Amino acid sequence: MSKVDMVRRALEASHAVELVLLEERYGWPSIVGNNAIDAGARFAIHIAPVGDFHRNPNEMRFQNPGSNRPVSDDDGIPVLLGIEDSEEPILLVAADAQSRVGRTTRFSVRIEKSMIPKARQEGAAVFTNGSGERITAFRAEFLPSFLAATAAGYELPATRLNEISDASGLRDENTDAAAERARRAASILIRDQTFGAKVRDAYGHRCAMCGLAAGLTVGAHIYPASAPGSPYTTDNGVCLCENHHRAYDAFKIWFDPATFEIRVHPDVIAEAGGDPYLKAFLDVTFDTLKVPTDPAKKPSAQYVNQRRQYFDKDYDWLGNT
Ligand SMILES: [Zn+2]
């Protein structure tokens, strides 16, 4: 089978309509687009068959086609995949493409053999090989999620994919309907994770209302994710610590869309009068939201206003401002 046929086989097995083969070339790489994440997202997919590694019966491997065929990132985000299609379901094995870009030597990606049946059974499997490299094997249905995670600079969360395989029935039924459920659930998971990470990055991982970092922040939606047409863009997010996130979601705290002035519910201010701990919480709360300097990453007034309209009466305490 040619490498282009292997790419086609992987795309077909993913059942993902959003993945399109833009340029076939020779499969080293083929250029693939993912329309679901960004119209311009291009991936340079380098693919090779996974085969036995005769020197070690506990390992398998895949290789680049030759020393003069390095991994290239000229035309897209580089992706390095092995394909294991000796039986259904078809598996893909991802290794670190970035570290191999431009390297003009022959290389083998070595894989622990036991991860193949594990990934086939459970949806995904991860292991770290002898060179300290993280290798992820996953069912082809998770290819779009893998590409979305790669574009965002994140690793595929194998344990969560196993839970998804379970919950969607993929493990037991292995039907098209189960595969579709699993694919969707995985896409939502990656979308949520990359959104949170993007927002936290934009704020230097600090709470915009108190400056707390220490890994205790989340990327929160402004116009809520559950609302129709709510985008997963940084300007529809704000980085908050767990406490300010809860207060924001409970409509106890608000920021002005134009000035970013922070306003606290009058009941909370009154309660703080008799509660030194609550007062301490309000004392560390900034007067004004600390937002990213990049205008494109600041909270958009549109989404702040949409949030207020969406929750309507919950924000009555703001009055006419
Ligand atoms: Zn905070």
Side-chain angles (χ1 to χ4, degrees):
M1 196 193 296
S2 78
K3 286 188 181 304
V4 176
D5 284 339
M6 287 177 209
V7 173
R8 277 214 197 83
R9 197 159 158 77
L11 294 183
E12 232 166 72
S14 78
H15 295 282
V17 288
E18 68 267 34
L19 297 185
V20 283
L21 185 52
L22 298 173
E23 291 172 39
E24 294 185 355
R25 303 202 188 166
Y26 305 101
W28 195 271
S30 285
I31 308 300
V32 169
N34 185 344
N35 291 330
I37 48 171
D38 181 349
R42 285 163 68 94
F43 298 88
I45 296 194
H46 302 71
I47 199 163
V50 173
D52 285 328
F53 182 46
H54 300 293
R55 274 192 286 166
N56 186 342
N58 297 321
E59 286 187 339
M60 297 181 85
R61 69 168 178 181
F62 63 96
Q63 298 177 290
N64 60 343
S67 57
N68 55 344
R69 306 290 302 279
V71 171
S72 153
D73 62 355
D74 290 347
D75 288 310
I77 299 162
V79 171
L80 179 58
L81 292 177
I83 181 166
E84 211 291 319
D85 59 353
S86 61
E87 55 181 286
E88 297 277 339
I90 291 170
L91 287 187
L92 299 170
V93 182
D96 181 18
Q98 203 71 55
S99 70
R100 293 184 171 90
V101 168
R103 219 203 277 173
T104 53
T105 46
R106 195 85 211 260
F107 65 75
S108 283
V109 175
R110 286 159 70 170
I111 306 154
E112 200 173 273
K113 204 169 196 168
S114 63
M115 77 187 295
I116 297 295
K118 183 174 169 13
R120 209 160 244 136
Q121 167 76 31
E122 296 178 10
V126 185
F127 97 114
T128 305
N129 70 13
S131 339
E133 181 177 6
R134 183 187 150 104
I135 310 286
T136 312
F138 53 90
R139 288 182 53 146
E141 288 88 350
F142 294 132
L143 178 60
S145 297
F146 169 75
L147 295 179
T150 302
Y154 297 99
E155 282 162 349
L156 201 62
T159 315
R160 298 292 301 278
L161 294 187
N162 297 345
E163 289 163 13
I164 285 173
S165 301
D166 244 349
S168 63
L170 196 61
R171 255 181 104 146
D172 304 320
E173 303 172 24
N174 198 23
T175 58
D176 283 354
E180 181 57 24
R181 284 195 294 271
R183 224 171 53 72
R184 279 200 192 162
S187 296
I188 290 168
L189 169 71
I190 301 297
R191 190 189 60 189
D192 290 350
Q193 285 197 342
T194 53
F195 170 76
K198 230 170 21 180
V199 171
R200 288 199 306 279
D201 282 350
Y203 288 76
H205 295 239
R206 290 193 179 276
C207 174
M209 292 189 178
C210 72
L212 184 71
L216 296 173
T217 52
V218 293
H221 265 89
I222 295 171
Y223 184 49
S226 53
S230 169
Y232 282 73
T233 49
T234 309
D235 63 352
N236 187 27
V238 57
C239 181
L240 296 174
C241 71
E242 296 286 1
N243 284 340
H244 280 113
H245 184 211
R246 291 295 288 272
Y248 188 58
D249 274 358
F251 319 111
K252 306 277 189 205
I253 201 160
W254 170 257
F255 60 88
D256 184 276
T259 63
F260 297 127
E261 183 202 341
I262 294 173
R263 293 186 55 189
V264 178
H265 195 294
D267 290 354
V268 177
I269 295 172
E271 202 183 326
D275 183 339
Y277 302 103
L278 183 56
K279 184 176 179 302
F281 176 65
L282 294 188
D283 283 347
V284 300
T285 301
F286 299 150
D287 294 330
T288 309
L289 199 70
K290 197 160 183 189
V291 296
T293 44
D294 181 349
K297 293 180 178 172
K298 287 180 188 181
S300 138
Q302 180 194 339
Y303 302 131
V304 179
N305 289 324
Q306 279 182 341
R307 177 185 177 89
R308 184 165 172 185
Q309 281 156 21
Y310 186 73
F311 290 113
D312 191 23
K313 297 226 172 306
D314 293 311
Y315 285 115
D316 273 355
W317 60 272
L318 286 170
N320 291 325
T321 56

